[in-house]
Amino acid sequence: MRKLTYYVAATLDGHIAGPAGQYDFFPLPADLTETILATYPETIPGHLRQPLGLADVPNQRFDTVVMGRGTYEPALREGITSPYPHLRQYVVSRTLTTDDPRVTVVADDPVTFVRELKHGDGRDIWLCGGGKLAATLRDEIDELIIKRNPIIVGAGIPLFDGPFTPTTFTPTGTREFASGVVMTTYTRT
């Protein structure tokens, strides 16, 4: 069965974006970028793959991405309707529509949808955001990969924006970067 992995950058105080959805305050230091390009090249948006030398690099971990509307909208504002054309793309929203055949909008229950994806064929599934969707899918998340950045923002979109529901994960690996970023992998206990 495929795993759902919430792979995301976060601040020390647990935010994945600012109050208005901004994320440009996250640095992309060379040491972290090198690891991402080698280990998770499919998480690089399509419009950046050619300039970064990834045009012909195969997906390593994921062949599917699931995101909330708030995660998808920054690309739309830039005129990018298919941010990850090298992946199967699903956007969870009850109000969004798209004419791009490479993106599927999921208006029904995301939990049922993700359960069906997990039972299908293919590589693992990347949950790339946002906080409300992560909270909704909490019981379906098999793995967390959190890139904790040495930044505190005070307010914004939390990693999990939902009800109080203690859920235990076990740390299974940590990598510290000279830039201060710490990437920790957790698996469901």
Side-chain angles (χ1 to χ4, degrees):
M1 184 159 72
R2 302 163 77 191
K3 288 193 301 191
L4 178 65
T5 299
Y6 188 19
Y7 169 77
V8 67
T11 63
L12 290 176
D13 53 348
H15 295 94
I16 61 172
Q22 63 269 47
Y23 55 87
D24 56 351
F25 58 85
F26 283 114
L28 234 99
D31 56 355
L32 177 63
T33 300
E34 183 179 316
T35 296
I36 292 169
L37 295 177
T39 312
Y40 306 103
E42 62 271 32
T43 65
I44 302 299
H47 69 284
L48 297 175
R49 290 177 64 84
Q50 179 78 25
L52 292 172
L54 298 173
D56 298 321
V57 174
N59 298 338
Q60 301 294 316
R61 277 279 310 270
F62 309 112
D63 65 6
T64 303
V65 60
V66 176
M67 65 189 100
R69 179 183 181 139
T71 301
Y72 182 58
E73 283 185 333
L76 283 180
R77 285 194 294 271
E78 297 297 320
I80 301 168
T81 58
S82 177
Y84 300 100
H86 50 285
L87 299 172
R88 284 178 266 165
Q89 302 168 89
Y90 299 98
V91 179
V92 176
S93 173
R94 289 192 169 90
T95 58
L96 182 74
T97 59
T98 182
D99 293 329
D100 194 316
R102 298 169 294 179
V103 176
T104 301
V105 175
V106 178
D108 296 329
D109 176 32
V111 174
T112 300
F113 177 75
V114 166
R115 283 181 183 154
E116 290 171 4
L117 279 180
K118 289 172 71 172
H119 282 79
D121 292 329
R123 295 181 183 265
D124 288 341
I125 303 156
W126 171 33
L127 172 60
C128 78
K132 285 184 171 81
L133 181 58
T136 299
L137 295 173
R138 177 189 324 247
D139 291 339
E140 296 304 316
I141 296 172
D142 302 293
E143 179 180 61
L144 302 167
I145 301 174
I146 312 282
K147 298 172 286 187
R148 286 176 308 187
N149 288 262
I151 299 170
I152 294 174
V153 294
I157 299 170
L159 272 165
F160 291 89
D161 189 2
F164 180 76
T165 310
T167 307
T168 306
F169 284 81
T170 301
T172 56
T174 297
R175 181 160 180 195
E176 297 181 25
F177 296 90
S179 60
V181 175
V182 177
M183 184 184 297
T184 305
T185 301
Y186 301 87
T187 56
R188 180 172 292 285
T189 300

